[in-house]
Each structure stands twice: as structure tokens, then as C-alpha cells.
Amino acid sequence: MFRTALRNVLAHKARLLMTVLAVMLGVAFVSGTLVFTDTLGNALRNQSAKSYDNVAVAVTTYADQRDEKASGVTAATLEKIQGLDGVDTATGRVSGFAGVADPDGKLIGNGWSNTGGNYSPGKNGKDSAYTFVDGTGPVAADRIALDKETAKRGEYHVGDRVRVATNGPVKEYTLSGVFTTEDGAVNAGGSLVLFDTEVAQKLYLRPGVFRDVNVSAAPGVSAEKLLAGVKPLLPKDAEAKTGQVLADEQAKQIERGLSGLNGVLLAFAGIALFVGVFLIANTFTMLVAQRTKELALLRAVGASRRQVKRSVLLEAAVVGVIASVVGFAIGLGLAIGLRSAMGLFGGRIPAGPLIVSPTAVLAAFAVGVLITVLAAWLPARRAAKIPPVAAMNSVHATATVKSLVLRNSIGAVLTLLGAAAIVAGASRSGSSGRTVIAVGAFLALIGVIVLIPLLSRPVIALVRPLLKRLFGVSGKLAAQNAVRNPRRTGATASALAIGLTLVTGISVLGVTLGQAVDRMTTDNIKADYMVTMASGGPLDESALTALQKANGVSAISPQQATSLRVEENYNSASAVTPGDVQKLFALTTVSGSIDALDKGEIAVDEKTAKFNGWKTGDTVRVTFDDDKKGELKVGAVFKKNEMLSSPILMPKNVADAHGSRADIRAIWLKMDGGATKANEQALVQALGDNPGMSIMDRQDIRDMFGGSVNLAMNIMYGLLAMALIIAVLGVVNTLAMSVFERQQEIGMLRAIGLDRRKVKRMIRLEAVVISLFGAVVGVALGMFLGWAIGQTLASDIPEYALVIPWDRIAVFLVLAGIVGVLAALWPARSAAKLNMLTAIKTE
């Protein structure tokens, strides 16, 4: 039986090719994901460990330039640490945002990972954290050093003048050196600028103060001993750990971060394999049906049911092994490709080898072989039931009425349970509702797949008259062939249905969220421009002063973060410019007037006012940021504006009187003449052509908020494309098998006058009908799931309203039809080329 199984695999190479491809793609996705994440994790862990190679103890504080209470590590404390017995060196560090302009004045890097730090040479005149490939470190106030990649992208050389933006005005420095580094920000696509220590302290903290300290040990001194000596010298807000502990903690953080990426990619690999199951099961079902007489003959000469079943499963195992080997090789190429592709998004993986772990190898082969064998189990079971008497005739066993009733009953129950769970989940909000929907979606999907053979007859019957009218005999025969074997049609359509369910659900959700975000910005903003730091950090007060003097500004207000403590509850507040804020935002008052801000009063959103029991005219006792107490009058209650992140508005002058350094998150502007190139240029000039600041008009703001939704949708479309490719292979495989089985019938049709062109048309139309049937089922289920998931988000998105993207759905249906035409090319050509006499003689 073993030799028989191998012979059957070799004898049906063409028939099993599509199955191998389906398994191969799934295995490639699984192995590629595991190898890529293992490689990325290993590189990041090595980088992290390398950054702590010479660090015995690391001191970390939460010192902040805007918070005088966070003391940091003073120069005096650093000297005490340096004087401890067993300390080799102790280096103080400060850091913050620093953006470098390219020759065109644009920011080099992605903003959030553009950093600046201090160059701190030791006794030998060098800073051990950096290796210079050209020039030297900055040891004067007007000098800087750049990482090698940033210098290359900016075309800067030692001696050049470089424009650098920090939180304050942009300044020019002379480039003193270029260095290499293992800094994670640089590898994430950012940049690193080194300043002289005194300059860095003034920029990012306070003179003579460090945020962090790295301590290296003298030979023979343990890190634990140094840690015990360092701790008593530190301020209360400082934390000290050994370098090894920090390296281990970062390794765990990297692992947790990659587990999310791993999970997403493996989920899509699972979807691809789930779709592949139908192709595999369909293929083996047809192979078993075609070999009924052969298998019956084996039974007649003494083979037991178990042996026949094992023979089919062995064929599946061989196919799985072949597909796994090829898929794993492709997966390695995929991992290398993903590694290279990170550069397109501005990220760079640290140098390191490709990691092929035993887990990745075992997972790939286990998935490939097990999925194939499990998918072939039912066909193998049917093969074992073929009686020896079937060898005497060519009549294949058909499904009994009892089996069809049982199948349809199970499908109906699963579909109803799934639909009920989806509706129940939609009535909840948050992740709990989405979890219920996920369970319901799985049950409904399985139920619909079980019911698809039953659904195929009435659905396809609706289009039969149209096919006959448009395409004559070819159309009539195509419709009849599509429902001749409902199980086969159902299995083929299921693969497309799964893919289209996911794609449609994502489209409905994505378009709905995108338009909600679009309405949120359109309905809530009157401003023409928003100015922010590219790093996402706070703007300096000087930026507000500069913009107030810009030509054409008719209204301007900062969005300055502050807080008010009422009793023991902290309430977030935004300090704004009275008189201008209502010109910049759409503020609908419930009671009172926003003009009350001019009198030093506050405005509160409706929800916060209701929660605290406040109403217009109430006086609220508050504690300000400087811990001083006072009273503020509620001058207005307004409906929540999504673009104002805080529920309380207060005059900027009141916040400034009770705060330290202003925490300005954005500056909003209204310009004479609206958003024009001239007005934008006026703002750029007012800010000193600062590359670290981002000036966005209303369309840019809409794109910023909606861009993440579109990016996520495009990534998911790309990942789901693999499932659709497998579905296409399923259609090709089904038609090829169908043509093989119907050789005699096709020969007869040719003999009675159906020419080659009409035979091709018949096969193509059959493919289109099956593809569109699967697409319609998938689109209907996808819209249902998109609605349900959206309902769980509606409470968190006030502008949420369901949107059905009919244009995209129409495109999906057209693409499904095209898929059918393309999938039918080879089978249709094979059918048309059949020799009439040979085909008629075929059993």
C-alpha cells in the first residue's frame, strides 16, 4: 500500500500541483514570519545587550525641563559616584529632540526618533559609547557630531554648517565629527545629534544636571557591589539597576513587542491555511471519486478499509512534506524580503545573522503536513467506505439523503448560533463585544460553509435564465455544470467566500472609521493651520510668540496642557487664548458663553459638567499645577469637541500664572484668505524655517488622522491577498478536475456540434458563476460583520455612522468575475483541445 500511495502521487503530479501550491504558500507565511521575528528579535536583543556591555550600573531619573521638582543627578552627585571605590568611569547623560535639516530644509528622519544627546569624553578624551569614523566629538558650544547615516542622507561632511532644530528656535552648528552607534533611535529610522555637555544640559534639562548616569566597574569589581555603593548617593526620584538587569528587561520588552507582530502575521497565515483546507479537501475528494474503481479493486484483492484510508492519508502526507520543504525555502526568502522592506518604512534592523530556529522548522513542517493530512481525512474516510463491488461498474457513490439532511441541519444550527452571537456582541461596546463577535463570526462562517452546497442551487438558478439568454447553449450548460456537484461547487466557492468576507468586513469598517475621522476634523475645526513638533513633544513658548507676529494671522491660540485638581480628582484642561479659540474650533454651547473666558472664567464640556454636578455660574474651588488654591467660575458648558483633548478650557494667562514651563502641544491659526501657499510660507518664515516643526492645513490634519486607518487597511489587503490567491488556485483545480472527469461528456458535445470556442466559453462561464457565487456570500457576511464590529466602536466615536462602500464592493465582485475568467484559462484550453473520439471512449 505504501508503494501504491507513492505511485499515485507520482501519477497525478499535475492534479496535485495546486494542492502543493496552497500548502506551500501557507507554510511560507508561517516560516517566514517566525524566521523574520526571530531574526529581528535576536538583532534587537544583541543591540540592547551591546549598549550595556560597559555598563555595570545604570542610574535613571525622570528629570524634566518643565518640572523643577524632578531634580535629576547633579554634577556634585556625579562626582561622588565617580569617587566610589571600584568605579572606573561614571558618565552623565541628557537627551531630547533634535532634528537635522537636509539640503532642502526638510527634516531628516521620522520625527519621533530624532534625538539629541551629550558627548561626554572620559580621561582618554573619548566617549566610549560612540566610534568616530571622521573628525572628533563636539567640545565647543557651536559644534555638533552626527551619526553616519544622517550625515550621509544630509550630504554633510566635517566642517559643514548644519541646521538643527530642538524645542526652541533652529540654530546652525559646525559639524566636528561623524560616528557610528548602536542607538535604537537611529536604527528605527531617526537621527542622533551630539552636543557639548553644557549645551545639551541647557537644551534638555538645566545647567549642571544629568538625567541618567552610566557607571562602569574597575577590573574585578562586581556590579552588585557598585550598585550597593551608588544607591545611597541618589536623589529620591532616581532608580539604579545593574546593566545586566536592564539588558534582560529590554530583551523581555522586545519579546513582548514582537509577540504582537508575530501574532498578527501568524493570524493571516492561519487564514491562508484555513482557505487552503478547502482546496486540499476538494482535491482529494475529486481524486478519490476519480479512482473509485481503482480503490474498489484494491478492496476486492484483499486491501482492508484501514489500508485504503492509510493509502490516501499517506499521499496527503507526501504532498504535505513536499509543500513544506518548498514552502520553508520560500519562507526564508520572505523573511529576508521583510527585513529589507523595513528600510522602505524608515527602519533599519541592526546587523546580525538570519536566525533559523528549530521552532520555525518544526512549526513549518508540522503545519504543512498536519494541515494536509487533516484536510484529506474526510476524503480518505470516504475512500475506505467504497465497496469492492464498485469495481464492477463506473457508478460513483452519491451522498445519501440522510447525510445531506444531517449536513444542512448542522450548518443551519451553526449559522443561527453564529448570527445570534454576532448580534449579541454588537449590542455591547468595547473589547468584550468584539470577543463575542469573533466567536460568532467563526461559527457563522463554518455554518455558511457547511450550507453553501444547499445555497448554490437556488442562487445559481437565479442567473441561469440570464446566462442562457446572453450566451445560449454555453451559458445554459455552464449553469447546469455549476450545480451538478453542489459539494464541489460549495468547497470551491467557500475559499473565495472566506477571503471576501474578511476583505469586505475590513472595507466596511475602514471606510466607516475613515469617514468618521474625516467628519470629526471637518465639523470640529475652523482653523486653517495646526503647528506641532515633528517629535510629538511640546512646542516652546517662542514658537507662539513668533507666530503671533506672522503676516496674515487673524486668530491664534495654543492648545496648552495643564490640569486642575478639584478635591482629590485631577481634571485635564487646555489653556487657550480667549476671543480666538471660538474662531478656531466649532464650539456649541449648552449654556453660558465661551466669551466668558475673557473674564477669567472656564468652559466645561457637557459630560464633565454633568459628572461633577457643575452648571453655568457655579464657582469651583481648585488647586493649580503650582499647588496654589483658588476659585474659578464656570462661564459656559459646551458640547464635546473631539479635537480638544481636554474637557476644560481656561484662559492662557490664568494657567501661566500658576504653571512652570508652558506645555504647548499644538498652536492653531486662522489666516486672512484661508490656507494658501503664501500664508503657509509666512508661517514657515516666522518659525525661522524650522525643520523640527510641522505645519498642517485642514487637509493634512484629515490625512494625519485618517492615514493610519488607510495604512492599516492596505496592509490587511496585502496580507489577505494570499488567501485570495489560494482561492484562485482552488477554482483552477476544481475546473481542471471537472474537465478531466467530463472528458466523455465534452467529447459528445463536440461530436454533436459544440465548437471549441463554445466549449471554452462554457468552462469560463462556469468558473465565473462559481466565483461570483462565493463572492456574493462573502460580501454579504462581510457587511454583516463590519456592521457588528462598528457597533462596538460607536460609543467611543461620536461621529460614527455606518457606511457601506458600494463602489469597493462592486470592484470586489468584478474582480471575482475576473478571477473566474483567469482561473478558467488553462482548464478551458484543455477542454477545447480534447480529441472527440478519444474523449468519447474515455470511461
Side-chain angles (χ1 to χ4, degrees):
M1 294 302 292
F2 178 77
R3 287 196 298 270
T4 301
L6 291 179
R7 179 184 61 77
N8 284 328
V9 171
L10 296 174
H12 303 115
K13 294 186 288 291
R15 304 183 202 177
L16 294 170
L17 175 62
M18 301 302 176
T19 304
V20 170
L21 287 174
V23 181
M24 179 187 73
L25 288 173
V27 170
F29 214 143
V30 172
S31 57
T33 295
L34 293 175
V35 171
F36 171 68
T37 51
D38 285 345
T39 299
L40 180 59
N42 180 72
L44 292 175
R45 283 191 294 271
N46 287 343
Q47 179 194 58
S48 174
K50 191 174 182 179
S51 65
Y52 289 106
D53 274 350
N54 298 317
V55 177
V57 175
V59 178
T60 305
T61 73
Y62 301 96
D64 190 281
Q65 196 172 36
R66 298 183 302 276
D67 187 0
E68 297 287 346
K69 299 176 184 177
S71 57
V73 178
T74 63
T77 301
L78 180 61
E79 287 183 10
K80 291 179 182 179
I81 294 173
Q82 291 171 334
L84 286 174
D85 185 33
V87 170
D88 183 22
T89 61
T91 307
R93 300 289 184 193
V94 290
S95 61
F97 168 75
V100 179
D102 66 13
D104 297 324
K106 303 298 182 182
L107 182 68
I108 297 175
N110 49 32
W112 58 268
S113 59
N114 292 95
T115 56
N118 64 305
Y119 177 71
S120 183
K123 297 175 183 177
N124 60 358
K126 297 181 180 180
D127 190 328
S128 59
Y130 311 104
T131 303
F132 279 80
V133 296
D134 192 14
T136 60
V139 289
D142 65 338
R143 303 295 175 99
I144 61 164
L146 293 177
D147 68 271
K148 184 179 178 180
E149 187 64 27
T150 301
K152 180 181 177 181
R153 291 167 66 182
E155 300 177 2
Y156 291 121
H157 303 90
V158 172
D160 289 348
R161 296 289 286 176
V162 182
R163 297 178 71 249
V164 180
T166 54
N167 286 345
V170 65
K171 294 182 180 179
E172 279 197 355
Y173 300 84
T174 299
L175 182 63
S176 67
V178 177
F179 59 89
T180 59
T181 178
E182 292 297 325
D183 189 277
V186 175
N187 284 311
S191 61
L192 178 59
V193 182
L194 294 181
F195 300 91
D196 174 68
T197 294
E198 290 185 6
V199 173
Q201 287 175 325
K202 291 177 182 177
L203 285 172
Y204 300 127
L205 206 53
R206 291 178 290 279
V209 178
F210 299 94
R211 181 176 289 120
D212 307 314
V213 176
N214 292 334
V215 183
S216 63
V221 178
S222 69
E224 286 72 19
K225 179 181 177 181
L226 279 186
L227 182 64
V230 168
K231 277 187 173 182
L233 303 177
L234 300 178
K236 293 180 180 180
D237 66 336
E239 183 180 21
K241 294 181 181 180
T242 64
Q244 185 60 52
V245 168
L246 285 175
D248 292 342
E249 287 180 354
Q250 284 203 7
K252 290 179 180 177
Q253 289 176 358
I254 291 169
E255 188 174 340
R256 284 195 296 269
L258 290 175
S259 65
L261 173 64
N262 217 7
V264 171
L265 292 176
L266 288 176
F268 284 97
I271 292 168
L273 288 168
F274 184 56
V275 174
V277 164
F278 295 95
L279 192 157
I280 298 164
N282 210 15
T283 299
F284 277 93
T285 297
M286 288 185 285
L287 286 174
V288 167
Q290 291 170 9
R291 290 160 46 200
T292 298
K293 293 183 70 174
E294 175 190 329
L295 295 171
L297 187 59
L298 287 174
R299 290 291 316 281
V301 297
S304 66
R305 285 189 173 187
R306 182 175 295 180
Q307 286 178 310
V308 171
K309 184 177 179 180
R310 285 178 180 173
S311 172
V312 176
L313 290 178
L314 184 58
E315 287 182 49
V318 171
V319 170
V321 169
I322 294 171
S324 297
V325 171
V326 179
F328 187 76
I330 295 174
L332 293 179
L334 181 63
I336 295 171
L338 285 171
R339 183 173 177 170
S340 301
M342 284 195 69
L344 299 176
F345 295 96
R348 295 183 292 276
I349 298 180
L354 193 70
I355 303 299
V356 183
S357 66
T359 302
V361 177
L362 290 174
F365 280 85
V367 164
V369 176
L370 286 177
I371 289 292
T372 310
V373 171
L374 287 174
W377 184 79
L378 279 176
R381 189 166 172 268
R382 293 194 195 104
K385 290 183 176 181
I386 294 174
V389 73
M392 308 301 176
N393 56 64
S394 60
V395 179
H396 296 180
T398 57
T400 64
V401 174
K402 180 180 177 181
S403 68
L404 291 175
V405 170
L406 179 63
R407 175 187 177 121
N408 294 335
S409 299
I410 293 173
V413 170
L414 289 174
T415 303
L416 289 173
L417 286 175
I422 292 170
V423 172
S427 64
R428 303 185 184 184
S429 60
S431 58
S432 62
R434 291 190 285 276
T435 301
V436 175
I437 290 173
V439 174
F442 179 76
L443 292 174
L445 199 57
I446 296 297
V448 168
I449 289 167
V450 173
L451 283 177
I452 269 187
L454 177 67
L455 296 173
S456 63
R457 288 185 179 277
V459 173
I460 294 176
L462 293 174
V463 298
R464 185 183 300 170
L466 180 64
L467 289 173
K468 183 179 178 181
R469 187 179 305 115
L470 294 176
F471 302 103
V473 175
S474 297
K476 179 180 179 181
L477 291 172
Q480 289 176 344
N481 291 333
V483 295
R484 175 183 294 182
N485 190 332
R487 293 194 182 202
R488 181 189 299 167
T489 298
T492 306
S494 294
L496 275 172
I498 294 168
L500 265 297
T501 295
L502 298 171
V503 170
T504 303
I506 289 170
S507 296
V508 169
L509 197 59
V511 171
T512 298
L513 291 177
Q515 292 199 16
V517 169
D518 194 47
R519 284 193 298 273
M520 182 178 73
T521 55
T522 303
D523 296 346
N524 292 324
I525 298 174
K526 294 181 181 178
D528 295 317
Y529 291 102
M530 177 179 74
V531 177
T532 60
M533 287 298 296
S535 63
L539 288 155
D540 190 78
E541 188 81 29
S542 61
L544 178 63
T545 303
L547 289 171
Q548 287 171 336
K549 300 175 182 177
N551 292 329
V553 174
S554 59
I556 181 172
S557 174
Q559 193 170 345
Q560 180 175 319
T562 185
S563 65
L564 297 172
R565 193 169 82 242
V566 180
E567 296 178 351
E568 296 303 319
N569 298 319
Y570 280 90
N571 294 270
S572 171
S574 286
V576 296
T577 303
D580 281 0
V581 66
Q582 53 266 59
K583 299 176 184 177
L584 300 168
F585 297 94
L587 297 173
T588 303
T589 54
V590 177
S591 60
S593 172
I594 300 296
D595 293 337
L597 291 171
D598 284 320
K599 305 173 186 176
E601 298 174 4
I602 60 174
V604 185
D605 78 19
E606 190 176 14
K607 184 177 179 181
T608 302
K610 184 177 180 180
F611 177 81
N612 289 287
W614 300 339
K615 59 183 182 296
T616 301
D618 286 354
T619 299
V620 181
R621 294 188 59 81
V622 301
T623 302
F624 295 96
D625 277 346
D626 59 357
D627 289 333
K628 292 181 179 179
K629 299 183 183 298
E631 293 184 347
L632 290 173
K633 185 177 179 181
V634 178
V637 175
F638 63 93
K639 290 185 178 180
K640 184 176 181 180
N641 185 300
E642 294 299 322
M643 298 306 295
L644 287 169
S645 55
S646 302
I648 299 176
L649 301 180
M650 64 187 298
K652 185 179 188 312
N653 61 328
V654 174
D656 289 344
H658 293 280
S660 52
R661 190 181 178 90
D663 187 2
I664 301 174
R665 294 295 165 175
I667 299 173
W668 298 85
L669 301 105
K670 188 82 173 173
M671 306 289 289
D672 294 331
T676 64
K677 288 185 178 180
N679 280 336
E680 184 174 343
Q681 188 58 37
L683 298 181
V684 170
Q685 290 175 354
L687 292 171
D689 200 12
N690 192 323
M693 294 185 186
S694 174
I695 301 173
M696 291 181 282
D697 60 21
R698 294 178 70 178
Q699 185 58 50
D700 293 330
I701 297 168
R702 291 160 68 181
D703 293 342
M704 177 183 69
F705 285 101
S708 57
V709 175
N710 293 329
L711 177 62
M713 285 178 63
N714 291 332
I715 291 173
M716 289 186 178
Y717 284 153
L719 293 171
L720 288 172
M722 181 169 292
L724 293 175
I725 289 172
I726 294 174
V728 172
L729 294 176
V731 178
V732 175
N733 210 19
T734 297
L735 290 174
M737 295 289 189
S738 178
V739 168
F740 180 84
E741 286 181 359
R742 289 153 44 197
Q743 288 186 66
Q744 188 179 56
E745 174 190 319
I746 293 170
M748 290 295 294
L749 289 172
R750 289 290 316 283
I752 62 175
L754 197 67
D755 59 26
R756 289 185 174 182
R757 184 170 57 86
K758 290 182 179 179
V759 169
K760 285 183 179 179
R761 184 184 297 168
M762 176 184 71
I763 302 298
R764 289 195 203 103
L765 289 174
E766 182 180 345
V768 170
V769 167
I770 293 173
S771 298
L772 286 176
F773 169 58
V776 168
V777 172
V779 164
L781 191 54
M783 287 194 292
F784 182 42
L785 289 176
W787 163 80
I789 295 172
Q791 291 299 112
T792 66
L793 300 169
S795 61
D796 299 323
I797 305 174
E799 302 294 334
Y800 182 89
L802 181 67
V803 178
I804 303 296
W806 295 112
D807 53 342
R808 298 194 186 196
I809 289 172
V811 170
F812 296 156
L813 294 175
V814 170
L815 288 176
I818 293 173
V819 162
V821 172
L822 295 177
L825 289 178
W826 174 46
R829 188 168 177 270
S830 300
K833 290 177 66 177
L834 285 176
N835 182 284
M836 282 185 285
L837 296 178
T838 303
I840 290 171
K841 291 188 293 182
T842 302
E843 292 187 6

